[in-house]
Amino acid sequence: MAFFTDTTVCIGCKACEVACKEWNDVPSTPLELTGFSYDNTGGLGSESWRAVKFVEQRLPEIRQQGADGAFVAAGQQGPDLRMVGTDGFAGTPDELDLTRADGDGRALAVDAAAGAGDFRWLMASDVCKHCTTAACLDVCPTGALFKTEFATVVLQDDICNGCGYCVPACPYGVVDRRPDDGRAFKCTMCYDRMKGDMTPACAQSCPTDSIMFGTWEDMRAAAGDRLEEVVAAGLPGAQLYGEDTENGVDGCGAFFLLLDDPEVYGLPPDPIATTKDLPGMWRAAARAAAAMAVGIAGVVLVAGRRRQR
């Protein structure tokens, strides 16, 4: 089973965060603003298994993307965005929406009363990626982490001994320990609900269907179809993230449709399971140990013969 998160329709309501906390009895988080964003969650952690990211892109950041990061919309064409002045504007914000451009890079005039033209919001509900090759599971010494019959990764907090090995092992920075007792926690994709043929709480509560849930094959097909729609609508910079079975974690059980590069959303562009090279490392270590043992045995044998002489 898998999540497909379509960030193009996320409205930042945080219903998924609330539903996750309520169903899984996850402690509440402070409501104070962080000062870095309108988002008060800040990111995934032991007490935030779902986290809606608020990315505010102002004009200079959007303009640096050029036409590849823009979309086509009906309207009157304005100045060429490739010929901006030293102040960085092709026109006044009241006259132009610099986030909108056609394939030739020309801005499209919009109604200033609509409030467009100064920035755009990129919102995305982040979650554990439920990697096919899960480094957190590989390093767990107690069996607290296991792969379910749904190909998801579950962390059993009652078995966790708080060693913390899983925290640095995760290439996405998802797993976190609670400061009071040191045990690790993360999203379980509502394993208990899935066993009862129920939809995970976050997907069930999403009012825009930004978070979709189903079999991996169905979600991958839906993601591909949606990507084609978004690109055809004039967003050639849109891309899928995490669906590739040949990526560094051999594919994810939670993948996303993004409107910008992964780094913009705080996601690693090329994550790699930190344990993928362990078998080769152990084989190399075994060969080195065997060679050392042969060498030591040779030295002992030669020394013994010399003493006999």
Side-chain angles (χ1 to χ4, degrees):
M1 306 300 286
F3 284 132
F4 164 48
T5 302
D6 181 358
T7 68
T8 67
V9 294
C10 178
I11 58 175
C13 68
K14 289 181 174 284
C16 55
E17 289 190 23
V18 176
C20 176
K21 285 180 177 291
E22 287 185 344
W23 180 263
N24 295 291
D25 197 25
V26 179
S28 61
T29 47
L31 296 178
E32 293 82 7
L33 291 176
T34 62
F36 299 101
S37 166
Y38 286 107
D39 166 38
N40 62 292
T41 305
L44 295 173
S46 62
E47 298 178 359
S48 299
W49 300 0
R50 270 275 181 189
V52 179
K53 297 182 178 179
F54 288 36
V55 180
E56 181 180 351
Q57 284 191 330
R58 297 192 178 277
L59 284 174
E61 298 171 315
I62 297 170
R63 191 167 46 251
Q64 288 172 5
Q65 294 179 336
D68 288 342
F71 61 91
V72 178
Q76 180 183 357
Q77 283 194 340
D80 192 334
L81 291 184
R82 293 168 298 184
M83 301 177 63
V84 297
T86 55
D87 59 354
F89 287 96
T92 66
D94 292 337
E95 296 172 345
L96 298 172
D97 177 1
L98 299 188
T99 67
R100 298 172 180 250
D102 61 16
D104 296 328
R106 295 188 65 82
L108 298 170
V110 297
D111 184 4
D118 53 348
F119 67 89
R120 72 172 177 178
W121 283 108
L122 300 178
M123 296 179 179
S125 180
D126 197 11
V127 71
C128 172
K129 311 308 179 290
H130 293 275
C131 308
T132 300
T133 298
C136 59
L137 187 154
D138 291 338
V139 301
C140 181
T142 65
L145 282 146
F146 71 97
K147 186 69 69 74
T148 73
E149 65 269 33
F150 303 107
T152 59
V153 181
V154 169
L155 198 163
Q156 304 168 97
D157 58 271
D158 58 332
I159 300 178
C160 176
N161 67 355
C163 69
Y165 294 162
C166 55
V167 177
C170 176
Y172 297 98
V174 168
V175 189
D176 189 28
R177 297 163 67 196
R178 288 185 183 165
D180 55 350
D181 62 10
R183 291 180 300 160
F185 292 84
K186 75 170 193 69
C187 162
T188 66
M189 204 180 281
C190 286
Y191 180 50
D192 53 346
R193 291 176 65 94
M194 285 197 292
K195 288 179 72 69
D197 294 326
M198 299 171 64
T199 300
C202 56
Q204 184 72 42
S205 66
C206 182
T208 63
D209 289 333
S210 172
I211 303 171
M212 290 178 272
F213 172 77
T215 65
W216 191 95
E217 292 79 7
D218 288 347
M219 292 299 97
R220 178 62 183 82
D225 292 342
R226 179 58 179 162
L227 177 62
E228 292 181 2
E229 292 178 1
V230 172
V231 172
L235 277 166
Q239 57 189 285
L240 294 179
Y241 179 83
E243 91 298 346
D244 186 3
T245 56
E246 296 184 1
N247 64 14
V249 296
D250 300 319
C252 300
F255 40 89
F256 306 79
L257 172 59
L258 306 178
L259 290 179
D260 208 324
D261 292 332
E263 300 94 318
V264 174
Y265 296 85
L267 297 169
D270 188 20
I272 298 176
T274 53
T275 56
K276 288 195 77 170
D277 294 329
L278 280 181
M281 294 170 62
W282 282 115
R283 286 193 295 269
R287 288 194 295 268
M292 183 178 296
V294 171
I296 293 174
V299 170
V300 171
L301 180 61
V302 171
R305 289 178 176 176
R306 288 179 177 177
R307 282 197 299 268
Q308 290 177 357
R309 292 176 182 176

